[in-house]
Amino acid sequence: MSTKDRLVSESSFDGNVDERLKSIEAVESFRNCSLSELDSKRAGLSSQISHLTQKISDLAFNNYRIYADAGRTAENCSEMLDNINKEMSHVKERLPTLIDDTVAFIEKSEDIFRDFVHLDDAITEDSPIWEIVNLPKMMDKCIRHGQYDLAYALTTFAVNLQQSKLGENLIIKKVAHTLIEARHGLLDVLFNKFAGPIDLAKSIQIVNNIRKIPYISNTQLRVCLLQYRDVYLEKNVMALMSSSDDPRWERWTGGSQNYLLQSWAHRNIDVMFERIRSSERKSAIDFEAIGGKLMSFANSFGRMGMDFRPLIINELSVMTLESFSRRVQKATEMFVSQKQLDLLDEDIFKVNRSDLENKASSTDVQSSTAPVEICAWDDLCVYGNELIDALNDLRHSLSPVYVNDVFNVLKSSLQAVLLWIQRFSDSEEKLKKRATELILINFAPFMNQCFQTIFTFESCFKPFFHGNVTHQDYIKTYDLGAANAHVVQVTESTA
């Protein structure tokens, strides 16, 4: 049995006869081929195998890329779905707020529409609002034509309008304020009538009209009378100086009214303070009593918008400081006017020292006690008593703001005393040294105690610096002895 027949018989079982026959024919053709043909076929097969391998590689790469793209696509889709889920959660949370805002917007739109309707009604010619807006013009006409009763009625109507619910409207509020302030213009007109010739009956009528002006207190009326009196006198003086034959008062507006009133008040306040200063230079004045009365006086002016209480505090403080400076200067001049250093002899002082110390210890005092050594110099005791009296007068009448000024006054006084001591001749060198030691070692520390008792650290520095300045810094800064010690050193080095 040939090979072909055997293959045909075997292929009958699986039905692939054609394919097997083709394989047999291919085998037979290979057998009949020469070596060169077989090599050629082999090379062709190798080329086809290589080409097939390349296609398989490309197919595998393309399949991997498609797989990778599919993975990235799935990841992006998952991330996108997560973001969508989060955004939906935020939208779900904000949805009630959005609904509320929408409802509020609708309500606000309805309010705006109603306001627009009201505005449209108001701008029509038949609207009552125009009658109210024209009331200030009506007030001016009433004042110009002498219809004062109608002007008073308009003022009362404006006050009632201001106190009603309609007064909350800006237009109504402005109109009411203008009508109420128009009474100042009415006062101008009535007072200006006194500028020209006028009989008694007419003047009484004008005064009655002034009294009828509503909502003007007696104090305001008195101030206006004083103001117009001063203005009238000043205009007469100016008229005489300019040789005017027929002076007339000018009509002032509400703004000029306030300005003139304030100018009158400031001018008279300045005159009052100047008189207080001149009186204080002649004799001592109780600044505490004057301060209380002036505060009450300024408070009454405060009801008219002219409260000058801060000015009183500043002026009285300056006056008190000037008075203190003059007293210290006077005591210093009396001290340095002495022709000699009249100190008690050291031996005599040592003998009487124990008696002086016993008297000082037996005396019941609540304040700082002066050193016994100062008793050796009577002029120094007199000088010290004057300084202490001047300091005691500052205890309740001067602000802690002026503590530096007070210290500088005392420092200058002691400096003048030390310079006066150093000007004595060299023959009195021992006496000069003793006097200088009394000033720097005994008298200056005692004055420091008096100064620090009146201007204490707790009241003058601690409440204002909050721990930035210690008590030691305060003592070191306000030390009269240390502040004037350099005077002696400079004088000795110069000599």
Side-chain angles (χ1 to χ4, degrees), residues 415-474:
Q415 182 177 352
V417 172
L418 290 172
L419 291 174
W420 168 70
I421 294 173
Q422 301 304 318
R423 284 197 295 267
F424 282 91
S425 61
D426 295 336
S427 60
E428 299 176 333
E429 186 64 28
K430 184 177 180 180
L431 202 59
K432 286 168 53 178
K433 182 178 180 181
R434 184 183 171 196
T436 303
E437 289 177 353
L438 279 176
I439 295 292
L440 295 178
I441 298 176
N442 302 113
F443 183 77
F446 171 65
M447 291 305 301
N448 286 336
Q449 294 178 8
C450 297
F451 179 85
Q452 294 168 9
T453 300
I454 295 175
F455 297 100
T456 61
F457 174 78
E458 287 75 13
S459 61
C460 297
F461 289 86
K462 192 174 181 179
F464 306 104
F465 292 94
H466 303 290
N468 294 329
V469 177
T470 62
H471 188 262
Q472 294 298 325
D473 294 334
Y474 168 69

Side-chain angles (χ1 to χ4, degrees), residues 67 144 316 383 450:
Y67 174 77
R144 285 198 305 269
L316 290 182
Y383 169 70
C450 297

Side-chain angles (χ1 to χ4, degrees), residues 28-44:
E28 291 295 333
S29 63
F30 279 123
R31 287 180 178 178
N32 296 325
C33 291
S34 62
L35 182 60
S36 59
E37 291 176 350
L38 290 175
D39 290 336
S40 176
K41 289 182 179 291
R42 181 180 178 183

Side-chain angles (χ1 to χ4, degrees), residues 88-124:
M88 290 299 295
S89 299
H90 290 311
V91 170
K92 186 178 179 180
E93 292 175 357
R94 298 177 182 177
L95 189 60
T97 305
L98 179 61
I99 294 173
D100 295 338
D101 292 341
T102 305
V103 173
F105 174 76
I106 294 172
E107 294 176 353
K108 190 66 175 179
S109 300
E110 293 176 353
D111 294 338
I112 294 173
F113 179 74
R114 283 195 296 269
D115 292 341
F116 178 77
V117 172
H118 294 160
L119 180 62
D120 188 55
D121 294 337
I123 61 177
T124 58

